[in-house]
Amino acid sequence: MAKTTKKPTNRKARQAAEAAAAKARAEQAQRDRRNQTIIGAVVVAVVIALIAVIGFNIWKANHPTQDAGELNDAWSQVEAASPKPANTTEKGGFVISKNGLNKPVKGVPTVAVYMDFMCPGCGAMERALGDTYSQLVDAGQINIEIHPMSFMDRYSTDEYSTRAANAAIEIAEKEPEHLLKFITLMYAEDFQPSESDYSPVSNAQIKQQAIDAGVSESVAASATDGKHVYGDWLKAISKYTPLRQELWNVEGQLKGQMSTPTITVNGQYWNRNSIPSDTDQRTAFLKAIGLDANAVGKEGKLPSVGTDKGPLYP
């Protein structure tokens, strides 16, 4: 038979029971408040941690860093490549001026152009600025530093980027006075192959572009003989160059990465992504180096950036 609990039968007992129940409720309420405080503190701490992680990731995305180890390893591969072009700058470029290869005119800016012969953006830029580059170089108003790359081989079936870049290097080494014209012809709208629908371009076709640029028959033949003399070096420099933080996009979808074409003025990145859509490339470029359009090709009329300032526009 189950036991039953007797209810208090007098007033004093009832009051004691009520007091005990009230105390128990108060103690439970205190425990509940303490638990809620602890839970609240934990939630706040977790939220703060999440905000910190999100904030760091946003900051990191806007402040990409260069992996020194990866950069050094890539440079080691450049140094190990053989043979190397004999007349490149420290970073793998070819400086062309009115004085010749690696004989920069003093007092004028050096404009470096990083390119791949398969790159459609490089082609569009060359068609907009190629003649202007040549006029400025011939008048001693700029030095131009050409950086041929071959990272877009994957868009062709026959290593077009490597073959074209190798030809440019051999021309730069042997007959640099024809290099800019050769580049212009290689980027001609009716010659440059499509990256999205590639049609093979023969060595003979590249050779003809070299000859049309003024390159001698013997140099043109050597530059396009299919041996890819500087193929290993091109592969190495094309891996190293994109790791250079000073060449990375500073805005847009490719922020924190290098893309071609890339242009620097006196070694400082020109942010072409900020050029207003209603401003053409030539106008923007001339503003960037500080030269009036009417002064192009006129000796003695020098860009205001001189030899040390970066781009002035945009």
Side-chain angles (χ1 to χ4, degrees):
M1 183 175 181
K3 294 182 179 181
T4 59
T5 302
K6 293 183 179 181
K7 297 182 180 179
T9 58
N10 56 52
R11 183 177 180 183
K12 187 175 180 178
R14 286 197 302 271
Q15 288 176 337
E18 290 172 355
K23 182 180 179 182
R25 288 194 298 272
E27 290 175 348
Q28 184 61 48
Q30 186 177 15
R31 285 194 295 272
D32 290 344
R33 287 194 296 271
R34 183 168 60 249
N35 290 338
Q36 288 174 355
T37 300
I38 293 171
I39 292 171
V42 171
V43 170
V44 169
V46 170
V47 170
I48 290 174
L50 287 174
I51 291 174
V53 170
I54 293 170
F56 174 75
N57 287 334
I58 291 173
W59 181 90
K60 187 176 181 181
N62 286 279
H63 298 78
T65 57
Q66 183 170 278
D67 186 323
E70 187 178 13
L71 185 72
N72 291 335
D73 288 345
W75 181 247
S76 296
Q77 293 179 40
V78 174
E79 291 187 312
S82 180
K84 300 182 186 67
N87 296 300
T88 64
T89 62
E90 183 181 84
K91 299 295 185 179
F94 297 85
V95 176
I96 304 293
S97 77
K98 74 171 186 176
N99 297 328
L101 179 65
N102 291 339
K103 297 177 181 178
V105 174
K106 295 180 179 180
V108 303
T110 296
V111 176
V113 182
Y114 295 80
M115 62 175 68
D116 186 300
F117 285 99
M118 275 286 289
C119 166
C122 297
M125 188 187 70
E126 173 63 26
R127 291 188 287 274
L129 295 177
D131 289 342
T132 300
Y133 289 154
S134 295
Q135 289 177 287
L136 294 172
V137 168
D138 290 345
Q141 293 172 298
I142 67 168
N143 306 304
I144 191 162
E145 185 175 328
I146 301 298
H147 287 260
M149 300 172 68
S150 63
F151 70 95
M152 293 184 71
D153 269 340
R154 62 186 182 275
Y155 293 107
S156 70
T157 56
D158 52 12
E159 296 186 304
Y160 177 78
S161 290
T162 291
R163 291 185 295 122
N166 184 83
I169 292 172
E170 292 202 44
I171 291 169
E173 294 268 272
K174 300 169 184 176
E175 295 183 3
E177 66 274 17
H178 302 306
L179 177 61
L180 296 187
K181 182 63 176 178
F182 173 70
I183 291 172
T184 294
L185 293 180
M186 290 293 285
Y187 281 123
E189 203 159 11
D190 60 355
F191 185 85
Q192 184 187 19
S194 168
E195 66 167 339
S196 60
D197 186 23
Y198 180 75
S199 295
V201 178
S202 68
N203 288 332
Q205 288 173 294
I206 297 174
K207 176 184 176 182
Q208 188 58 54
Q209 296 300 88
I211 291 173
D212 289 348
V215 177
S216 65
E217 172 74 29
S218 60
V219 170
S222 174
T224 59
D225 61 7
K227 295 180 180 179
H228 309 168
V229 175
Y230 299 115
D232 289 343
W233 181 85
L234 271 167
K235 182 178 180 180
I237 202 72
S238 295
K239 179 179 179 181
Y240 166 74
T241 301
L243 299 176
R244 292 169 50 193
Q245 189 171 3
E246 71 272 19
L247 301 178
W248 292 354
N249 289 288
V250 297
E251 62 177 272
Q253 292 183 335
L254 297 177
K255 181 177 180 180
Q257 304 175 53
M258 182 195 175
S259 59
T260 52
T262 289
I263 298 178
T264 65
V265 177
N266 293 325
Q268 299 181 51
Y269 180 81
W270 179 31
N271 183 20
R272 295 168 51 252
N273 291 317
S274 289
I275 298 172
S277 58
D278 60 352
T279 302
D280 64 83
Q281 293 266 357
R282 185 174 187 272
T283 297
F285 173 71
L286 293 176
K287 284 185 177 181
I289 64 174
L291 185 69
D292 188 273
N294 294 326
V296 173
K298 296 181 179 179
E299 293 188 26
K301 301 287 185 180
L302 304 183
S304 66
V305 295
T307 60
D308 56 354
K309 294 180 184 177
L312 304 178
Y313 176 86

